[in-house]
Amino acid sequence: MKKFIAIVMSLVMVMSLTVAVSADDPVLKEGDIEFTVETDWWEMHDMKGVIFDSAEDLANMSKIVFTTSSSGVIISYSSVEVVDESKNGHWQQTPEAITEFTIDCSDILLEETTDTDGNVSPYIYVCASTTAGTKVSVHYVVYGKEAAAEAPAETTDTTGTAEAPAASETSEAPAEPAAAPDTGIALAVVPAIIAMAAAAFAKKH
């Protein structure tokens, strides 16, 4: 009997729960970067004009996800964190070849800064560190920031102080507001009925 009551009460609590649904950031663009390595050691491919065109574009992005099955691929980008002071800082890269890597766009330096190697921020590079002739393919997905709810537009009176409309004997009374749906009441009553039935059943047994 105690087990039965416990099960019923658990069902009541589950039915009373509210479920929160959260949406992921929207996908702005995705595509593939494909090239054949020309040098034997380090080859940099600038993603400006591919993933982004300006600092304003990056400011509207939340993250960029790179995936690759190619060997020797490293992602490098301008970072707000000073990593190497000898190069005027402002760069970050994956420590080793990656199969998947995510750049948090809030970490990308948007202010134009040139380091001692001549790299101008903001920048993102797909770097191939492998032998010449290797074919490289990297898939990228760019996510945007979740759009904020738009506030209702305010209306302005361009004619000065407006006069109130003259009252009329034939004017109709304002319509009564529509009755609110009773779905919420039903959802609240159903668990209560189940709980009462369980209590009555427990008393009989």
Side-chain angles (χ1 to χ4, degrees), residues 4-165:
F4 174 77
I5 295 176
I7 292 172
V8 172
M9 293 307 295
S10 298
L11 290 173
V12 171
M13 288 189 291
V14 169
M15 293 177 67
S16 301
L17 291 175
T18 57
V19 180
V21 178
S22 60
D24 195 2
D25 294 334
V27 175
L28 296 183
K29 64 168 72 173
E30 64 179 306
D32 296 280
I33 309 156
E34 297 181 340
F35 58 90
T36 300
V37 177
E38 296 180 0
T39 61
D40 277 335
W41 172 232
W42 189 257
E43 192 169 293
M44 301 173 68
H45 291 260
D46 195 349
M47 293 297 100
K48 187 172 184 179
V50 179
I51 290 179
F52 72 100
D53 292 317
S54 63
E56 288 74 19
D57 287 344
L58 288 170
N60 293 322
M61 298 176 185
S62 62
K63 62 183 177 182
I64 306 169
V65 180
F66 295 90
T67 54
T68 177
S69 57
S70 305
S71 61
V73 175
I74 292 174
I75 306 298
S76 176
Y77 61 98
S78 58
S79 173
V80 294
E81 180 183 359
V82 176
V83 179
D84 188 341
E85 304 236 0
S86 68
K87 294 184 179 180
N88 195 24
H90 306 315
W91 63 269
Q92 185 73 271
Q93 69 182 39
T94 54
E96 56 188 15
I98 55 98
T99 55
E100 181 172 327
F101 181 71
T102 298
I103 295 179
D104 182 347
C105 291
S106 64
D107 185 44
I108 296 179
L109 180 67
L110 301 182
E111 179 183 352
E112 184 173 306
T113 303
T114 304
D115 63 22
T116 55
D117 287 343
N119 300 312
V120 181
S121 300
Y123 63 81
I124 301 172
Y125 293 128
V126 171
C127 308
S129 177
T130 184
T131 57
T134 302
K135 292 183 178 181
V136 174
S137 177
V138 179
H139 184 73
Y140 64 86
V141 182
V142 179
Y143 294 86
K145 295 179 180 178
E146 187 174 357
E150 295 183 359
E154 295 183 0
T155 56
T156 55
D157 184 7
T158 58
T159 60
T161 304
E163 296 182 0

Side-chain angles (χ1 to χ4, degrees), residues 157-201:
D157 184 7
T158 58
T159 60
T161 304
E163 296 182 0
S168 167
E169 293 182 0
T170 59
S171 60
E172 297 181 358
E176 294 183 3
D182 55 0
T183 306
I185 298 176
L187 291 176
V189 170
V190 170
I193 294 174
I194 295 177
M196 292 171 60
F201 183 84

